[in-house]
């Protein structure tokens, strides 16, 4: 075995302190001396007084700043300014300390230690037309560069890390290809490479490659339309291709013109990480950016235009934390950004334009938008693909998640104009916790024959989930003007708000219904799901040409503010429960509707229960409350401005009608259809009816014989009957009934509180008797 007796130090980058067993300190500068290793404990590096050590891109390399350890197996190198010290042990081992990191060498395997100028670690290639000039200071220590015309191939086999390959000049028919067994840097200094029969840059190294876009320069890479066959086993998948990881730094620009008929613009078989700089994929026949292991953007600006996917990150993930990412996607059935795992946006801005039919903006297993701003504009339409006994629609969608789409802090804007274009669609769940979501859709839906051979309709909801929809916070604005278009559509449940907070939710739908056939239509509803809807909190504003909020199984309101300014039916479900919150609702058919969907006068078993809260219903043309099953009012305040015309009424119940508590005021026509609660009710009710019709706004007032007001009400429509129930209605008490006049109290939704009533016309008196009483006057 070779044993070391002497140790040579040459031309140091900075001052060097050598600590020996029998000496104090010896300093060496720019000279050569020999020392007995048995006497050396350690070598300590002291900062030099000259300018700071080289940092990539600053152009300062005026001294020897690289330490190389030459061993029998290769060369290891270190930046001097990163080394704290070098120590030696009795068993002739050497340790290099770099902060918390250490590198250990057996001296028996070390041939030499040399210090070199960092410039000697840079291989420069300058292109000029169809030739290239190479400066290779590493020739003879493991790096060879072969040049044929302007085709340059570099090979590094010595294991030397941190080599920089700097590219300059212009070539109309050339390329740069590299094989390396260690990490390296690629410096693009305004280079322009056009390769007529292959990639402009081809990195055949499964290593980490730092690509520096030199400040104030613009580099341009163009590949050939048809590639020559590569050596066996080699890939050449893109105009700029790498087997290893690509990390982009610097503040220059890179333009890529991808022309290869079966190639991407920028590609890596590992991942791509953009820290800074400007990258523009101006064209690509396949994907603009294609990786196997992920795409990460921490800064910089990336623009992509391609004939296939914009960014395809393979198994992913895709993460955007800062910078700008802009993608134009024009092809049919493609994705602007896609991967097989997770897309995560935590900052920066993402701007996607999707023009192809059935194409997608984001497409992944999970899409999580927790920061930054995302804008998506789609104009592609639906495609009917043959399936089974008919067709299966495939939609152009802003965000498509196979498992979950989450918005929590992002500012998201989606605009869809193509036929049945969808905003956010998930095969699993959609969750919105904070931030803002603004989706505007205008594409029409249409009728078709589904896979089972049945008439059906395709349409484009703003939010569509096969799993659960959870809107717990943030600002959500959904607008759809296309035929059959919905704000929210789901195959499972919908939860709005929590006990502590809720979203500001605004939904507007104005599209016409789609005629399916057989008397069936697909209407433009605001929110419609197949399973349970729970509203715990939030501020909801809804305007729709059909149903406002509909569940096929269960609808429960526990809190929040619900303002339905226009609808055909307001809240609809076979099981409808109002336990709290405040509801203001205008409908042209039924305001509150409990039904299993079969019209008729029989009890279908549905249930509508009001236990608490505030319910104000404005029914100009339909029933204010309609239960095809049972109705129970157990508490809260319920105000109904019933319809002015027959045959609709303020309250229509097929099953039992119980009033057990709360305040109930209903104005309506005096019709044989008018209903009163059951005598099984726990609270007294009175129906006051007349053959005279009072105009809208005419006050209706009841007080006892001492002048104590029971209530004063101002109906919104003409009326001839008032149904009233309150725990203030006492047995044996005589009451006076007035119409007209005025009241100085505070009016809310037609009901006055406080103040003084005066000037009315006494119509009748009655003495309360029985649980349910009818008074004709």
């Amino acid at each position: 075995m070779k044993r070391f007796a002497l140790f040579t130090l040459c031309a140091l980058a900075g001052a060097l302190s050598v600590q020996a067993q029998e000496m104090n300190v010896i300093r060496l500068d720019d000279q050569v001396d020999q020392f007995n290793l048995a006497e050396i404990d350690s070598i300590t590096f002291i900062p030099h007084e000259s300018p700071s050590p080289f940092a990539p891109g600053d152009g300062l390399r005026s001294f020897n700043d690289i330490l190389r350890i030459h061993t029998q197996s290769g060369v290891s190198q270190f930046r001097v300014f990163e080394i704290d010290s070098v120590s030696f042990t009795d068993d002739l081992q050497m340790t290099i300390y770099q902060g918390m990191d250490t590198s250990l060498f057996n001296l028996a395997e070390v041939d030499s230690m040399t210090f070199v100028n960092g410039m000697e670690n840079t291989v420069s290639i300058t292109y000029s037309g169809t030739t290239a000039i190479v400066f290779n200071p590493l020739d003879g220590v493991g790096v060879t560069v072969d040049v044929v015309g302007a085709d340059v191939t570099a090979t590094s086999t010595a294991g030397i890390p941190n080599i920089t390959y700097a590219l300059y000049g212009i070539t109309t028919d050339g390329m740069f290809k590299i094989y390396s067994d260690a990490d390296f840097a690629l410096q693009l200094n305004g280079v322009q490479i056009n390769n007529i029969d292959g990639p402009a840059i081809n990195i055949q190294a499964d290593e980490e490659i730092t690509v520096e876009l030199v400040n104030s320069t613009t580099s341009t890479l163009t590949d050939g339309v048809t590639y020559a066959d590569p050596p066996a086993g080699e890939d050449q998948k893109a105009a700029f291709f790498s087997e290893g990881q690509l990390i982009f730094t610097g503040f220059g620009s890179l333009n890529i013109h991808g022309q290869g008929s079966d190639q991407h613009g920028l590609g890596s078989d590992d991942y791509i990480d953009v820290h800074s700089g400007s990258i523009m994929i101006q064209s690509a026949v396949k994907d603009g950016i294609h990786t196997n292991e992920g795409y990460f953007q921490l800064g910089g600006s990336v623009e992509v235009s391609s004939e296939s996917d914009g960014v395809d990150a393979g198994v992913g993930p895709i993460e955007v934390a800062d910078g700008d990412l802009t993608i134009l996607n024009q092809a049919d059935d493609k994705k602007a950004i896609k991967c097989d795992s997770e897309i995560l946006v935590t900052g920066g801005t993402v701007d996607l334009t999707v023009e192809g039919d059935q194409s997608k903006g984001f497409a992944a297993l999970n899409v999580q938008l927790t920061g930054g701003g995302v804008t998506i504009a789609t104009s592609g339409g639906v495609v009917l693909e043959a399936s089974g006994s008919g067709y299966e629609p495939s939609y152009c969608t802003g965000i498509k998640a196979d498992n979950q789409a989450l918005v929590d802090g992002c500012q998201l804007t989606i605009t869809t104009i193509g036929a049945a274009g969808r905003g956010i669609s998930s095969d699993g769940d959609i969750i919105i916790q904070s931030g803002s979501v603004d989706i505007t859709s205008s594409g029409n839906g249409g009728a078709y024959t589904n896979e089972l051979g049945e008439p059906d309709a395709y349409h484009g909801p703003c939010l569509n989930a096969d799993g659960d929809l959870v809107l717990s916070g943030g600002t959500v604005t959904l607008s759809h003007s296309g035929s059959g278009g919905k704000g929210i559509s789901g195959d499972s449940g919908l939860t709005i708000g929590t006990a502590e907070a809720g979203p500001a939710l605004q939904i507007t739908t104005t599209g016409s219904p789609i005629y399916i056939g057989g008397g069936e239509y697909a209407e433009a509803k605001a929110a419609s799901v197949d399973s349970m809807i729970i509203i715990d909190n939030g501020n909801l504003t809804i305007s729709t040409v059909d149903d406002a909020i509909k569940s096929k199984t269960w609808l429960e309101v526990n809190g929040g503010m619900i303002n339905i300014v226009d609808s055909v039916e307001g809240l609809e479900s076979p099981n409808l429960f109002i336990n709290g919150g405040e509801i203001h609702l205008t409908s042209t058919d039924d305001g509150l509707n409990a039904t299993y969907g079969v019209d008729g006068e029989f009890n279908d078993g549905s249930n509508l229960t009001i236990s608490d809260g505030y319910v104000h219903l404005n029914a100009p043309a339909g029933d204010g409350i309609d239960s095809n099953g049972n109705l129970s009012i157990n508490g809260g305040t319920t105000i109904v401005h019933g319809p002015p015309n027959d045959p609709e009424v303020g309250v229509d119940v097929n099953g039992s009608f119980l009033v057990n508590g709360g305040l109930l005021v209903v104005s309506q026509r005096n019709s044989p259809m008018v209903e009163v609660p059951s005598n099984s009710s726990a609270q007294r009710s009175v129906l006051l009816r007349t053959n005279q019709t009072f105009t809208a706004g005419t006050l209706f007032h009841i007080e006892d014989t001492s002048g104590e007001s029971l209530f004063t009400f101002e109906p919104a429509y003409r009326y001839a009957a008032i149904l009233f129930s309150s725990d203030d209605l006492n047995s044996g008490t005589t009451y006076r009934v007035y119409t007209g006049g005025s009241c100085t109290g505070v009016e809310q939704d037609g009901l006055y509180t406080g103040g003084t009533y005066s000037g009315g016309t006494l119509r009748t008196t009655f003495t309360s008797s029985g649980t349910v009483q009818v008074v004709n006057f």
Side-chain angles (χ1 to χ4, degrees):
M1 177 183 296
K2 178 168 49 176
R3 297 183 59 85
F4 267 68
L6 296 180
F7 174 76
T8 301
L9 303 172
C10 305
L12 300 185
L16 178 68
S17 172
V18 181
Q19 298 176 355
Q21 293 176 345
E22 298 178 356
M23 299 185 229
N24 289 325
V25 174
I26 298 176
R27 296 182 183 274
L28 302 173
D29 262 317
D30 300 325
Q31 65 183 22
V32 178
D33 284 287
Q34 292 185 333
F35 299 90
N36 192 325
L37 285 177
E39 297 178 352
I40 296 178
D41 294 325
S42 64
I43 299 174
T44 302
F45 291 85
I46 299 173
H48 200 273
E49 294 178 358
S50 62
S52 61
F54 169 74
D58 67 9
L60 296 176
R61 273 184 172 166
S62 59
F63 47 81
N64 295 336
D65 55 356
I66 301 294
L67 168 63
R68 288 181 181 161
I69 309 297
H70 301 261
T71 69
Q72 297 170 14
S73 59
V75 179
S76 299
Q77 69 177 26
F78 306 87
R79 295 180 187 272
V80 168
F81 67 85
E82 295 177 350
I83 300 175
D84 297 324
S85 64
V86 180
S87 68
F88 300 88
T89 59
D90 291 340
D91 55 356
L92 295 182
Q93 285 190 327
M94 178 176 65
T95 305
I96 296 179
Y97 296 90
Q98 296 172 285
M100 300 298 293
D101 297 328
T102 60
S103 300
L104 184 65
F105 296 89
N106 291 321
L107 288 175
E109 297 179 358
V110 175
D111 294 325
S112 62
M113 294 171 58
T114 60
F115 290 87
V116 297
N117 190 303
M119 288 298 293
E120 296 184 22
N121 229 38
T122 299
V123 178
S124 299
I125 297 99
T126 301
Y127 292 93
S128 179
T130 57
T131 63
I133 300 173
V134 176
F135 173 71
N136 180 14
L138 300 175
D139 189 19
V141 293
V143 176
T144 60
V145 181
D146 296 322
V147 179
V148 178
D151 290 346
V152 178
T153 302
T155 304
S156 176
T157 59
I160 302 176
N162 302 319
I163 297 175
T164 296
Y165 298 87
L167 307 185
Y168 304 85
I170 300 173
T171 176
T172 56
D173 183 13
M175 62 88 175
F176 178 72
K177 185 176 186 179
I178 183 169
Y179 302 88
S180 178
D181 57 359
D183 299 345
F184 64 90
L186 180 63
Q187 194 179 80
L188 303 184
N189 297 270
V191 68
Q192 297 181 35
I193 301 176
N194 180 19
N195 186 5
I196 64 174
D197 60 357
I201 295 179
N202 187 352
I203 300 174
Q204 291 295 311
D206 189 10
E207 307 293 340
E208 181 180 287
I209 300 97
T210 300
V211 182
E212 180 189 355
L213 307 179
V214 176
N215 191 23
S216 301
T217 69
T218 299
S219 297
T220 302
L221 306 176
T222 305
D223 64 345
V225 174
T226 302
Y227 281 21
D229 293 335
E234 287 190 4
D235 289 330
Q236 44 183 18
K237 298 177 181 177
F240 183 168
F241 174 71
S242 174
E243 290 284 354
Q245 309 141 24
L246 291 177
I247 301 174
F248 286 89
T249 65
F251 297 95
S253 299
L254 171 62
N255 295 332
I256 296 178
H257 298 273
Q259 300 183 139
S261 60
D262 193 36
Q263 278 75 33
H264 310 294
L266 172 62
S268 167
D269 273 353
D270 205 301
Y271 66 78
I272 290 176
D273 194 344
V274 179
H275 289 200
S276 59
S278 175
I279 301 173
M280 180 177 290
I281 314 298
Q282 295 185 327
S283 63
V285 174
K286 294 184 71 175
D287 301 338
I289 297 176
H290 184 95
T291 79
N292 289 343
E293 302 292 338
Y295 174 84
F296 306 90
Q297 187 166 347
L298 305 178
S301 173
V302 177
E303 296 185 37
V304 178
S305 179
S306 67
E307 297 178 29
S308 187
D309 301 325
V311 176
D312 182 349
V315 297
I318 293 174
E319 297 182 12
V320 178
D322 203 351
D324 302 316
L325 176 58
T326 303
I327 296 177
L328 171 61
N329 184 272
Q330 297 176 294
D332 293 342
D333 196 19
K334 300 300 179 182
K335 287 80 177 175
I337 301 178
K338 66 171 286 191
C339 70
D340 294 336
S341 57
E342 180 174 273
I343 296 174
L344 175 63
V345 178
T346 61
T349 61
V350 178
D351 192 345
L352 309 180
T353 301
V354 180
E355 298 178 353
D357 292 341
Q358 74 187 56
S359 291
K360 312 292 186 287
F362 287 122
L365 180 67
N366 295 305
V367 177
Q368 296 192 12
L369 310 180
T370 62
V374 175
T375 301
I376 304 173
T378 74
S379 56
V382 66
V383 172
L384 296 178
E385 299 179 332
S387 178
S389 299
Y391 299 90
E392 181 178 2
S394 180
Y395 301 92
C396 182
T397 307
I399 296 176
K400 178 65 171 69
D402 294 337
N403 181 59
Q404 184 188 92
L406 168 71
V407 180
D408 187 9
C410 181
Q411 309 301 306
L412 171 64
T413 302
I414 300 176
T415 303
T416 73
I417 63 174
R422 298 188 165 194
I424 303 177
S425 180
S426 175
D427 294 342
D429 303 333
I430 295 176
I431 301 172
I432 300 174
Q433 296 179 333
S434 66
S436 68
V437 175
D438 190 334
I439 302 176
T440 303
S441 299
S442 58
N444 291 324
Y448 78 106
T449 301
N450 65 26
E451 297 170 283
L452 302 177
E454 301 169 343
D456 207 338
Y458 58 81
H459 53 83
C462 296
L463 300 179
N464 181 80
D466 293 345
D468 291 327
L469 290 129
V470 179
L471 312 181
S472 58
T475 300
V476 182
T477 305
L478 311 175
S479 177
H480 208 308
S481 58
S483 59
K486 295 175 174 57
I488 297 175
S489 177
D491 294 340
S492 189
L494 169 63
T495 300
I496 300 175
T498 66
E500 294 77 24
L505 173 62
Q506 181 173 331
I507 307 176
T508 303
T509 62
T510 58
S512 59
I514 300 169
Y515 182 66
I516 299 174
E520 296 292 326
Y521 291 85
E523 298 93 352
K525 305 179 189 298
S528 177
V529 302
D530 291 347
S531 189
M532 181 182 296
I533 296 178
I534 305 293
I535 302 174
D536 287 326
N537 213 327
N539 194 328
L540 284 64
T541 302
I542 297 175
S543 177
T544 178
V545 293
D546 200 75
D547 296 345
I549 303 176
K550 179 177 180 178
S551 165
K552 293 183 180 180
T553 60
W554 185 287
L555 173 53
E556 181 177 318
V557 180
N558 299 315
M561 171 72 75
I562 301 175
N563 186 20
I564 300 174
V565 298
D566 195 13
S567 67
V568 174
E569 292 186 333
L571 306 182
E572 180 179 322
S573 178
N575 296 284
L576 176 55
F577 299 91
I578 299 173
N579 304 316
E582 185 171 340
I583 299 171
H584 298 268
L585 193 161
T586 297
S587 61
T588 56
D589 194 349
D590 301 329
L592 303 181
N593 186 21
T595 179
Y596 277 100
V598 180
D599 294 332
E601 299 302 319
F602 64 92
N603 182 349
D604 69 357
S606 56
N607 293 285
L608 197 165
T609 302
I610 301 174
S611 298
D612 204 351
Y614 184 92
V615 180
H616 164 227
L617 306 176
N618 192 339
D623 299 331
I625 298 176
D626 185 353
S627 176
N628 288 349
N630 307 309
L631 171 64
S632 297
I633 300 177
N634 302 321
T637 297
T638 303
I639 301 169
V640 181
H641 295 269
N645 299 308
D646 296 334
E648 310 300 336
V649 291
V651 179
D652 182 9
V653 184
N654 291 353
S656 65
F657 179 13
L658 299 175
V659 178
N660 301 317
L663 173 65
L664 172 65
V665 181
V666 181
S667 62
Q668 55 197 323
R669 294 282 288 163
N670 183 5
S671 161
M673 302 289 290
V674 169
E675 298 190 37
V676 296
S678 166
N679 285 319
S680 301
S681 300
Q683 180 173 282
R684 290 176 177 273
S685 302
V686 59
L687 173 66
L688 301 122
R689 60 198 301 175
T690 178
N691 290 326
Q692 180 180 353
T693 298
F694 301 106
T695 59
T698 301
L699 297 186
F700 192 91
H701 175 77
I702 299 179
E703 62 183 40
D704 62 20
T705 53
S706 65
E708 185 72 24
S709 175
L710 196 61
F711 78 99
T712 302
F713 186 54
E714 183 179 342
Y717 307 104
R718 61 180 182 174
Y719 66 98
I722 297 288
L723 175 63
F724 173 74
S725 180
S726 168
D727 60 3
D728 292 334
L729 192 60
N730 298 316
S731 175
T733 300
T734 299
Y735 297 96
R736 297 191 288 247
V737 178
Y738 294 84
T739 60
S742 62
C743 182
T744 62
V746 177
E747 182 267 337
Q748 180 180 351
D749 303 321
L751 189 65
Y752 285 82
T753 55
T756 301
Y757 175 81
S758 61
T761 300
L762 179 65
R763 297 297 181 177
T764 189
T765 62
F766 70 95
T767 300
S768 181
S769 61
T771 301
V772 179
Q773 186 176 5
V774 178
V775 176
N776 294 293
F777 64 95

